[in-house]
Amino acid sequence: MEILTGIPVSPGAAMGVIAIRHSRRRVPAAEKASSIEAERCKYEQACKTAVRDLEKMYDAALLKTDEETASIFQVHQMMIEDPDFRE
């Protein structure tokens, strides 16, 4: 008998058949950049999206934790908006 450990979803013990699925790591296909300006626009859009997402995460964290804990999302936002860091 082999004993496997993991993160339980409910308390207690279980016995039975287990299936282990090995996933293959997918590597994104390489693509050529159309132009430097197009890539810069993609980057800027990704930064704006990240900032919006971080604002939402901060607001959600405030509902569950204190401001000090939730502020980690503001720190990440400041990093994205910092020109020296982005450079």
Side-chain angles (χ1 to χ4, degrees):
M1 176 170 77
E2 184 178 355
I3 298 175
L4 301 174
T5 59
I7 300 171
V9 293
S10 62
M15 294 179 66
V17 180
I18 186 170
I20 299 175
R21 181 176 164 237
H22 297 281
S23 62
R24 292 184 183 166
R25 195 169 219 168
R26 293 185 181 181
V27 178
E31 59 181 73
K32 287 193 170 201
S34 54
S35 71
I36 292 173
E37 192 56 39
E39 292 302 309
R40 185 171 285 127
C41 286
K42 286 182 192 177
Y43 174 74
E44 292 299 329
Q45 187 58 45
C47 287
K48 289 177 186 176
T49 300
V51 167
R52 275 195 313 270
D53 291 348
L54 287 164
E55 287 171 352
K56 290 176 187 175
M57 287 186 257
Y58 172 77
D59 292 339
L62 271 180
L63 298 174
K64 297 179 181 179
T65 64
D66 58 17
E67 187 171 352
E68 183 179 349
T69 303
S71 69
I72 188 69
F73 298 110
Q74 288 181 320
V75 172
H76 283 88
Q77 183 179 342
M78 286 188 286
M79 290 168 61
I80 291 172
E81 293 171 335
D82 182 348
D84 292 330
F85 185 80
R86 291 173 62 161
E87 193 64 33

